Amino acid sequence: MQISIIGLDIAKQVFQVHAADAEGRRVAQVRLRRAQVLDYFRDLPPCLVGMEACATAHHWARELIALGHEVKLMPPAYVKPYVKRNKTDAADAEAIAEAVTRPTMRFVAVKSAEQQSMLMLHRVRELLVRQRTMLATALRAHLAEFGIIAPQGIHRVEKLAAEVRNPAVPSLAQEVLSLLVDELASVWRRLDAIDKRLVALHRTDQVSRRLASIPGVGPITAKAIASTVPDPSMFRSGREFAAWLGLTPKSHSSGGKDKLGRISKRGDRYIRHLLYVGAGNAIRFSRARAATGEAWIQGLQERRPPKVVIIALANKMARIAWALMTRGESFRSPVTVTA
């Protein structure tokens, strides 16, 4: 029996292979060390290789594609239902081989090294933003112990930093808090450098520039979407793209009764956060009328809480972004028709 389908369970050092023929019958189960993986696949005829889209999956996908194999990545949550009984490496590899042949399975596009590098830039920025928030919160809390406070907002921290030398703060506390201030200034400088780099890369990317034409979508958000979704045809519609971002309600329906809950918060948390912030800014600065029409936003604001309105606009921005990427167009404001 010739090997046609392989389920590959990847790890740091030990890899598990489940090989099957065209009918899905098991041909072999092999346990490989990391250094043996490429040699094993180099000796095989071209076949379909399924993997879970987890850490290092894109690297191995590129390596196997270079050897002539067809590689498909799948979300681990979609593979888990195919695991029979106890979880083992062999059972996981068998489940992957089973799942990769399903006609309704959803796959993850294999990213190039350049696309992953771009996403790393966004991930590092996200980490530095969290560190900046932690340092600012610590500085605010420590100074509050000596009766020194400042208005909320990350850009009000500069006023707090100047209060570190306040005579009301003991000398030992001044020495310790100065470390926080220096670290905060360092993180802020690195964030500014990354933001400038992202803006420069955004200006050279046509897809990113088209996305930035959507009101509420800035250069960083546009570049994040363009880098994360290199192939928008992976989604059948804008609603499916919004659902992938976790901006659609959870459904718990049975017996003909539809029950919708809160948004699922599945998918890419980083892009979802950027769209949420952009939608909030668009509403606050009265730019939502260009994206959706003033009457639509006003109607939602009259019926729904503010955060629900922001989520609704973020959902619509995601669907507009998918449409622009698919059609290769820029955003055009709707024309207001007067009677």
Side-chain angles (χ1 to χ4, degrees):
M1 292 183 291
Q2 184 178 3
I3 296 176
S4 300
I5 303 167
I6 288 183
L8 179 60
D9 183 46
I10 61 178
K12 292 181 180 178
Q13 298 297 336
V14 180
F15 295 66
Q16 182 70 39
V17 172
H18 179 91
D21 61 11
E23 301 297 327
R25 292 186 295 265
R26 185 177 69 181
V27 176
Q29 285 187 329
V30 184
R31 193 178 182 89
L32 302 173
R33 303 292 296 182
R34 183 183 183 89
Q36 301 172 323
V37 174
L38 293 181
D39 291 336
Y40 176 82
F41 281 94
R42 191 175 289 113
D43 296 335
L44 291 178
C47 55
L48 173 63
V49 181
M51 290 190 294
E52 291 180 329
C54 54
T56 72
H58 292 277
H59 162 72
W60 287 110
R62 292 192 297 267
E63 293 290 335
L64 297 182
I65 290 173
L67 296 177
H69 299 287
E70 180 185 2
V71 182
K72 291 187 177 182
L73 303 182
M74 298 165 289
Y78 293 170
V79 177
K80 187 176 180 180
Y82 295 92
V83 177
K84 301 180 180 65
R85 293 189 177 272
N86 298 326
K87 182 188 183 306
T88 62
D89 290 347
D92 289 346
E94 182 181 1
I96 293 171
E98 175 75 17
V100 75
T101 60
R102 297 301 91 195
T104 58
M105 179 56 63
R106 296 179 181 178
F107 299 102
V108 178
V110 178
K111 293 182 176 60
S112 65
E114 292 73 18
Q115 290 168 341
Q116 284 193 295
S117 300
M118 182 61 62
L119 291 177
M120 285 180 186
L121 188 61
H122 285 278
R123 296 298 179 260
V124 171
R125 179 184 181 275
E126 184 183 17
L127 174 62
L128 291 177
V129 168
R130 290 201 303 268
Q131 291 180 346
R132 183 181 65 180
T133 302
M134 293 168 62
L135 291 168
T137 302
L139 181 63
R140 186 184 297 275
H142 291 320
L143 286 177
E145 297 295 332
F146 304 107
I148 301 174
I149 61 173
Q152 293 183 353
I154 190 64
H155 294 286
R156 309 292 181 87
V157 178
E158 295 180 2
K159 181 178 179 181
L160 276 178
E163 293 291 339
V164 169
R165 298 301 178 183
N166 192 306
V169 181
S171 58
L172 180 58
Q174 290 183 12
E175 180 181 349
V176 174
L177 293 178
S178 295
L179 298 176
L180 288 181
V181 172
D182 293 342
E183 186 65 23
L184 184 59
S186 176
V187 171
W188 217 308
R189 286 194 300 270
R190 283 179 281 174
L191 269 175
D192 289 341
I194 289 179
D195 287 346
K196 291 179 181 178
R197 177 67 170 162
L198 285 173
V199 171
L201 292 170
H202 156 76
R203 291 172 178 168
T204 62
D205 189 339
Q206 294 183 358
V207 177
S208 183
R209 291 203 305 269
R210 288 199 297 267
L211 293 174
S213 64
I214 304 172
V217 175
I220 293 176
T221 305
K223 191 59 183 173
I225 296 175
S227 302
T228 306
V229 189
D231 183 14
S233 63
M234 296 289 293
F235 305 97
R236 293 174 297 180
S237 64
R239 189 188 184 284
E240 188 172 283
F241 176 58
W244 177 74
L245 291 176
L247 288 170
T248 53
K250 286 184 178 180
S251 176
H252 186 77
S253 305
S254 179
K257 297 180 180 179
D258 296 333
K259 296 181 181 179
L260 299 179
R262 299 180 178 181
I263 59 172
S264 66
K265 294 188 178 180
R266 297 167 182 165
D268 196 298
R269 179 177 58 86
Y270 180 64
I271 295 180
R272 183 174 63 251
H273 170 73
L274 292 177
L275 287 175
Y276 179 85
V277 173
N281 291 335
I283 291 175
R284 279 191 292 271
F285 294 106
S286 300
R287 294 173 60 193
R289 68 183 66 180
T292 57
E294 185 177 6
W296 183 78
I297 288 293
Q298 288 181 349
L300 278 179
Q301 289 175 327
E302 293 173 359
R303 305 189 311 269
R304 300 293 185 182
K307 289 188 176 181
V308 174
V309 179
I310 295 176
I311 287 292
L313 181 56
N315 180 293
K316 194 160 193 176
M317 289 164 58
R319 289 186 277 123
I320 293 173
W322 177 86
L324 298 186
M325 289 188 294
T326 303
R327 300 171 186 173
E329 301 176 355
S330 296
F331 177 78
R332 299 189 302 272
S333 300
V335 179
T336 302
V337 179
T338 58

